[in-house]
Amino acid sequence: MRRVLAALAVVAVVGGCTVQAADGDGKNRTPVRIELPDSASPTPRATTSTPSSATPARVLWSRGDTGRDIRELQARLRQVAWIFEGPTGTYDDATVEAVKGFQGKRGLPKTGETDSVTWQRLLRMTREPGKWELYLMGGQPADAPDARCMTGRVLCISKSSRTLRWMVDGRTLTTLPVRFGTEYTPTREGVFRVYWKSRDHYSTLYHSPMPYAMFFSGGQAVHYSTDFAARGYAGGSHGCVNVRDEAAISELFDEVRTGDKVVVHW
């Protein structure tokens, strides 16, 4: 009988069922519940639910950044009419708002920061800006002064870098971006002298103001230009050397004397 009960216990363990215990007289008594040990229970497969979240795009440039890359960003934003000033080379408030507008129009997060996704989208919509698009409103570095500028008081004007250096005895005191005449009315090159200064000059030939004019060759002069201040290198002069910074040329006008040398070179 003991062997029978042992066999029934084994079956119960394996089957996980309820077995009936029998007395010696063969009568059934209270059923005995055989519980399976935890170790015998099937181990459920581990399931881990990791929320899927896209990796944020890497931020390339943001407010306060400066440099050539910012100029290119601003130049490309100009091409798609999201910014209308500059390029300045500084990631300023206007650039933040332009980037936000560009992002929002294309369903990107409106952060105002230029991340890799925003930049790639802008690249696909624009072309590589040229040098004078990057420096449309000035800010370009000046090239080395011409050897003829190294002595005396000189307005040293470079056509290659589009800059004017005000130099005294080989030392640069002021550097300004300048604009020249067009293909049909070119600015003459060579060595000249300032022969006349006219603070509030007005051109009767072209019917336009030429304030702070310093004449050096016929009707050609260094002077302030409102058109250059407004449009940058998108325009040109009738042969004069235009300056867009009125405050700077006002100071320069007071320093330059009649008879000072003017060198226009490449």
Side-chain angles (χ1 to χ4, degrees), residues 115-147:
D115 55 41
S116 56
V117 174
T118 300
W119 179 238
Q120 288 301 318
R121 184 71 63 88
L122 184 60
L123 286 179
R124 291 195 295 269
M125 296 179 61
T126 56
R127 54 176 171 73
E128 179 74 20
K131 176 180 179 180
W132 300 115
E133 285 182 275
L134 297 177
Y135 296 100
L136 182 65
M137 309 307 287
Q140 68 274 18
D143 57 6
D146 187 276

Tab-separated table of all heavy atoms in Angstrom, residues 115-147:
chain	number	residue	atom	x	y	z
A	115	ASP	N	20.333	72.681	-35.718
A	115	ASP	CA	20.829	71.327	-35.490
A	115	ASP	C	21.142	70.672	-36.831
A	115	ASP	O	20.939	71.271	-37.893
A	115	ASP	CB	19.825	70.505	-34.690
A	115	ASP	CG	18.447	70.470	-35.333
A	115	ASP	OD1	18.374	70.349	-36.569
A	115	ASP	OD2	17.445	70.552	-34.604
A	116	SER	N	21.644	69.440	-36.784
A	116	SER	CA	22.081	68.770	-38.015
A	116	SER	C	20.924	68.534	-38.984
A	116	SER	O	21.109	68.628	-40.205
A	116	SER	CB	22.764	67.446	-37.662
A	116	SER	OG	21.901	66.629	-36.890
A	117	VAL	N	19.730	68.261	-38.477
A	117	VAL	CA	18.578	68.031	-39.356
A	117	VAL	C	18.176	69.326	-40.057
A	117	VAL	O	17.950	69.355	-41.272
A	117	VAL	CB	17.388	67.458	-38.546
A	117	VAL	CG1	16.141	67.353	-39.419
A	117	VAL	CG2	17.753	66.094	-37.985
A	118	THR	N	18.107	70.421	-39.299
A	118	THR	CA	17.756	71.718	-39.890
A	118	THR	C	18.781	72.116	-40.945
A	118	THR	O	18.435	72.588	-42.040
A	118	THR	CB	17.702	72.796	-38.793
A	118	THR	OG1	16.717	72.430	-37.816
A	118	THR	CG2	17.348	74.153	-39.374
A	119	TRP	N	20.055	71.928	-40.625
A	119	TRP	CA	21.123	72.327	-41.550
A	119	TRP	C	21.067	71.525	-42.846
A	119	TRP	O	21.194	72.098	-43.942
A	119	TRP	CB	22.473	72.155	-40.858
A	119	TRP	CG	23.666	72.512	-41.684
A	119	TRP	CD1	24.714	71.704	-42.013
A	119	TRP	CD2	23.969	73.779	-42.296
A	119	TRP	NE1	25.637	72.375	-42.779
A	119	TRP	CE2	25.198	73.648	-42.963
A	119	TRP	CE3	23.296	75.000	-42.328
A	119	TRP	CZ2	25.786	74.711	-43.664
A	119	TRP	CZ3	23.879	76.064	-43.023
A	119	TRP	CH2	25.108	75.905	-43.686
A	120	GLN	N	20.858	70.216	-42.749
A	120	GLN	CA	20.793	69.398	-43.957
A	120	GLN	C	19.596	69.786	-44.824
A	120	GLN	O	19.691	69.797	-46.059
A	120	GLN	CB	20.712	67.912	-43.583
A	120	GLN	CG	22.016	67.344	-43.028
A	120	GLN	CD	23.172	67.468	-43.999
A	120	GLN	OE1	23.008	67.238	-45.200
A	120	GLN	NE2	24.337	67.848	-43.495
A	121	ARG	N	18.472	70.111	-44.193
A	121	ARG	CA	17.304	70.554	-44.963
A	121	ARG	C	17.606	71.872	-45.685
A	121	ARG	O	17.250	72.050	-46.853
A	121	ARG	CB	16.114	70.728	-44.017
A	121	ARG	CG	14.805	71.108	-44.732
A	121	ARG	CD	14.254	69.948	-45.533
A	121	ARG	NE	13.910	68.832	-44.676
A	121	ARG	CZ	12.727	68.686	-44.088
A	121	ARG	NH1	11.782	69.601	-44.247
A	121	ARG	NH2	12.479	67.629	-43.340
A	122	LEU	N	18.287	72.796	-45.002
A	122	LEU	CA	18.628	74.078	-45.613
A	122	LEU	C	19.621	73.892	-46.744
A	122	LEU	O	19.525	74.559	-47.789
A	122	LEU	CB	19.190	75.020	-44.545
A	122	LEU	CG	19.530	76.448	-44.976
A	122	LEU	CD1	18.287	77.161	-45.510
A	122	LEU	CD2	20.125	77.229	-43.809
A	123	LEU	N	20.589	72.996	-46.569
A	123	LEU	CA	21.572	72.732	-47.623
A	123	LEU	C	20.898	72.248	-48.901
A	123	LEU	O	21.287	72.644	-50.003
A	123	LEU	CB	22.589	71.689	-47.151
A	123	LEU	CG	23.642	72.123	-46.141
A	123	LEU	CD1	24.540	70.947	-45.794
A	123	LEU	CD2	24.481	73.280	-46.676
A	124	ARG	N	19.899	71.377	-48.755
A	124	ARG	CA	19.220	70.832	-49.936
A	124	ARG	C	18.415	71.885	-50.684
A	124	ARG	O	18.137	71.723	-51.875
A	124	ARG	CB	18.307	69.671	-49.531
A	124	ARG	CG	19.049	68.424	-49.077
A	124	ARG	CD	18.135	67.205	-49.051
A	124	ARG	NE	17.086	67.334	-48.070
A	124	ARG	CZ	17.185	66.913	-46.808
A	124	ARG	NH1	18.313	66.364	-46.386
A	124	ARG	NH2	16.174	67.035	-45.968
A	125	MET	N	18.044	72.959	-50.000
A	125	MET	CA	17.199	73.979	-50.617
A	125	MET	C	17.975	75.175	-51.161
A	125	MET	O	17.388	76.049	-51.801
A	125	MET	CB	16.180	74.489	-49.580
A	125	MET	CG	15.197	73.439	-49.114
A	125	MET	SD	14.063	74.108	-47.873
A	125	MET	CE	13.256	75.407	-48.809
A	126	THR	N	19.282	75.227	-50.909
A	126	THR	CA	20.064	76.410	-51.266
A	126	THR	C	21.333	76.007	-51.995
A	126	THR	O	21.648	74.830	-52.151
A	126	THR	CB	20.423	77.221	-50.010
A	126	THR	OG1	21.109	76.370	-49.075
A	126	THR	CG2	19.180	77.786	-49.337
A	127	ARG	N	22.081	77.015	-52.434
A	127	ARG	CA	23.359	76.787	-53.124
A	127	ARG	C	24.497	77.371	-52.285
A	127	ARG	O	24.269	78.170	-51.385
A	127	ARG	CB	23.344	77.452	-54.508
A	127	ARG	CG	23.002	78.917	-54.445
A	127	ARG	CD	23.081	79.616	-55.783
A	127	ARG	NE	22.551	80.957	-55.692
A	127	ARG	CZ	23.146	81.977	-55.097
A	127	ARG	NH1	24.336	81.795	-54.526
A	127	ARG	NH2	22.591	83.162	-55.045
A	128	GLU	N	25.708	76.988	-52.630
A	128	GLU	CA	26.888	77.486	-51.939
A	128	GLU	C	27.011	78.995	-52.158
A	128	GLU	O	27.099	79.455	-53.293
A	128	GLU	CB	28.135	76.786	-52.473
A	128	GLU	CG	29.436	77.239	-51.849
A	128	GLU	CD	29.633	76.712	-50.436
A	128	GLU	OE1	28.969	75.719	-50.081
A	128	GLU	OE2	30.445	77.296	-49.708
A	129	PRO	N	27.001	79.805	-51.100
A	129	PRO	CA	27.114	81.263	-51.292
A	129	PRO	C	28.526	81.668	-51.697
A	129	PRO	O	29.507	81.063	-51.252
A	129	PRO	CB	26.747	81.826	-49.909
A	129	PRO	CG	27.029	80.723	-48.954
A	129	PRO	CD	26.807	79.441	-49.685
A	130	GLY	N	28.618	82.672	-52.557
A	130	GLY	CA	29.919	83.206	-52.957
A	130	GLY	C	30.504	84.103	-51.881
A	130	GLY	O	29.833	84.452	-50.898
A	131	LYS	N	31.759	84.503	-52.088
A	131	LYS	CA	32.456	85.307	-51.075
A	131	LYS	C	31.702	86.576	-50.743
A	131	LYS	O	31.554	86.941	-49.575
A	131	LYS	CB	33.856	85.656	-51.571
A	131	LYS	CG	34.624	86.568	-50.612
A	131	LYS	CD	36.004	86.905	-51.134
A	131	LYS	CE	36.744	87.826	-50.166
A	131	LYS	NZ	38.091	88.182	-50.649
A	132	TRP	N	31.199	87.271	-51.754
A	132	TRP	CA	30.568	88.561	-51.488
A	132	TRP	C	29.121	88.425	-51.057
A	132	TRP	O	28.487	89.407	-50.708
A	132	TRP	CB	30.744	89.492	-52.681
A	132	TRP	CG	32.209	89.714	-52.928
A	132	TRP	CD1	32.934	89.329	-54.011
A	132	TRP	CD2	33.131	90.310	-52.007
A	132	TRP	NE1	34.248	89.651	-53.829
A	132	TRP	CE2	34.413	90.267	-52.620
A	132	TRP	CE3	33.019	90.874	-50.736
A	132	TRP	CZ2	35.550	90.762	-51.999
A	132	TRP	CZ3	34.149	91.365	-50.116
A	132	TRP	CH2	35.401	91.317	-50.754
A	133	GLU	N	28.586	87.204	-51.075
A	133	GLU	CA	27.332	86.947	-50.372
A	133	GLU	C	27.605	86.786	-48.876
A	133	GLU	O	26.813	87.218	-48.043
A	133	GLU	CB	26.666	85.682	-50.903
A	133	GLU	CG	26.009	85.823	-52.258
A	133	GLU	CD	25.335	84.535	-52.682
A	133	GLU	OE1	26.014	83.667	-53.248
A	133	GLU	OE2	24.117	84.389	-52.432
A	134	LEU	N	28.734	86.162	-48.543
A	134	LEU	CA	29.100	85.999	-47.140
A	134	LEU	C	29.405	87.343	-46.489
A	134	LEU	O	29.171	87.535	-45.296
A	134	LEU	CB	30.315	85.077	-47.006
A	134	LEU	CG	30.134	83.633	-47.473
A	134	LEU	CD1	31.449	82.880	-47.350
A	134	LEU	CD2	29.051	82.939	-46.675
A	135	TYR	N	29.957	88.265	-47.283
A	135	TYR	CA	30.326	89.579	-46.760
A	135	TYR	C	29.528	90.676	-47.464
A	135	TYR	O	30.060	91.734	-47.786
A	135	TYR	CB	31.831	89.801	-46.949
A	135	TYR	CG	32.673	88.828	-46.158
A	135	TYR	CD1	33.236	87.718	-46.764
A	135	TYR	CD2	32.874	89.008	-44.799
A	135	TYR	CE1	33.999	86.808	-46.037
A	135	TYR	CE2	33.628	88.117	-44.058
A	135	TYR	CZ	34.181	87.025	-44.686
A	135	TYR	OH	34.928	86.134	-43.957
A	136	LEU	N	28.251	90.392	-47.680
A	136	LEU	CA	27.396	91.318	-48.417
A	136	LEU	C	27.385	92.714	-47.815
A	136	LEU	O	27.385	93.712	-48.525
A	136	LEU	CB	25.966	90.767	-48.472
A	136	LEU	CG	24.953	91.609	-49.248
A	136	LEU	CD1	25.308	91.668	-50.729
A	136	LEU	CD2	23.545	91.046	-49.067
A	137	MET	N	27.398	92.795	-46.491
A	137	MET	CA	27.338	94.089	-45.821
A	137	MET	C	28.676	94.463	-45.173
A	137	MET	O	28.730	95.278	-44.262
A	137	MET	CB	26.226	94.083	-44.773
A	137	MET	CG	24.879	93.619	-45.288
A	137	MET	SD	24.290	94.497	-46.753
A	137	MET	CE	23.829	96.060	-46.045
A	138	GLY	N	29.747	93.869	-45.644
A	138	GLY	CA	31.071	94.173	-45.096
A	138	GLY	C	31.480	93.175	-44.035
A	138	GLY	O	30.833	92.152	-43.828
A	139	GLY	N	32.586	93.497	-43.364
A	139	GLY	CA	33.108	92.614	-42.337
A	139	GLY	C	34.236	91.726	-42.808
A	139	GLY	O	34.827	90.992	-42.012
A	140	GLN	N	34.559	91.762	-44.108
A	140	GLN	CA	35.621	90.929	-44.638
A	140	GLN	C	36.998	91.399	-44.146
A	140	GLN	O	37.190	92.579	-43.872
A	140	GLN	CB	35.592	90.929	-46.173
A	140	GLN	CG	35.948	92.263	-46.824
A	140	GLN	CD	34.762	93.186	-46.972
A	140	GLN	OE1	33.750	92.994	-46.312
A	140	GLN	NE2	34.882	94.186	-47.830
A	141	PRO	N	37.937	90.491	-44.007
A	141	PRO	CA	39.283	90.902	-43.588
A	141	PRO	C	39.994	91.666	-44.700
A	141	PRO	O	39.781	91.401	-45.882
A	141	PRO	CB	39.981	89.572	-43.301
A	141	PRO	CG	39.240	88.566	-44.137
A	141	PRO	CD	37.818	89.035	-44.178
A	142	ALA	N	40.815	92.614	-44.325
A	142	ALA	CA	41.592	93.390	-45.302
A	142	ALA	C	42.844	92.615	-45.683
A	142	ALA	O	43.427	91.914	-44.865
A	142	ALA	CB	41.967	94.743	-44.713
A	143	ASP	N	43.243	92.743	-46.944
A	143	ASP	CA	44.501	92.123	-47.331
A	143	ASP	C	45.676	93.021	-46.918
A	143	ASP	O	45.480	94.101	-46.361
A	143	ASP	CB	44.528	91.828	-48.838
A	143	ASP	CG	44.309	93.067	-49.685
A	143	ASP	OD1	44.246	94.175	-49.113
A	143	ASP	OD2	44.195	92.935	-50.914
A	144	ALA	N	46.876	92.575	-47.171
A	144	ALA	CA	48.064	93.337	-46.785
A	144	ALA	C	48.109	94.656	-47.550
A	144	ALA	O	47.723	94.719	-48.726
A	144	ALA	CB	49.315	92.520	-47.060
A	145	PRO	N	48.567	95.722	-46.910
A	145	PRO	CA	48.631	97.007	-47.608
A	145	PRO	C	49.673	97.005	-48.731
A	145	PRO	O	50.691	96.308	-48.649
A	145	PRO	CB	49.014	97.997	-46.502
A	145	PRO	CG	49.658	97.173	-45.442
A	145	PRO	CD	49.000	95.834	-45.508
A	146	ASP	N	49.385	97.760	-49.754
A	146	ASP	CA	50.323	97.942	-50.861
A	146	ASP	C	51.589	98.632	-50.342
A	146	ASP	O	51.527	99.428	-49.404
A	146	ASP	CB	49.648	98.795	-51.948
A	146	ASP	CG	50.465	98.895	-53.210
A	146	ASP	OD1	51.358	99.770	-53.262
A	146	ASP	OD2	50.210	98.115	-54.140
A	147	ALA	N	52.722	98.312	-50.968
A	147	ALA	CA	53.993	98.896	-50.532
A	147	ALA	C	53.972	100.421	-50.603
A	147	ALA	O	54.650	101.099	-49.809
A	147	ALA	CB	55.123	98.345	-51.395
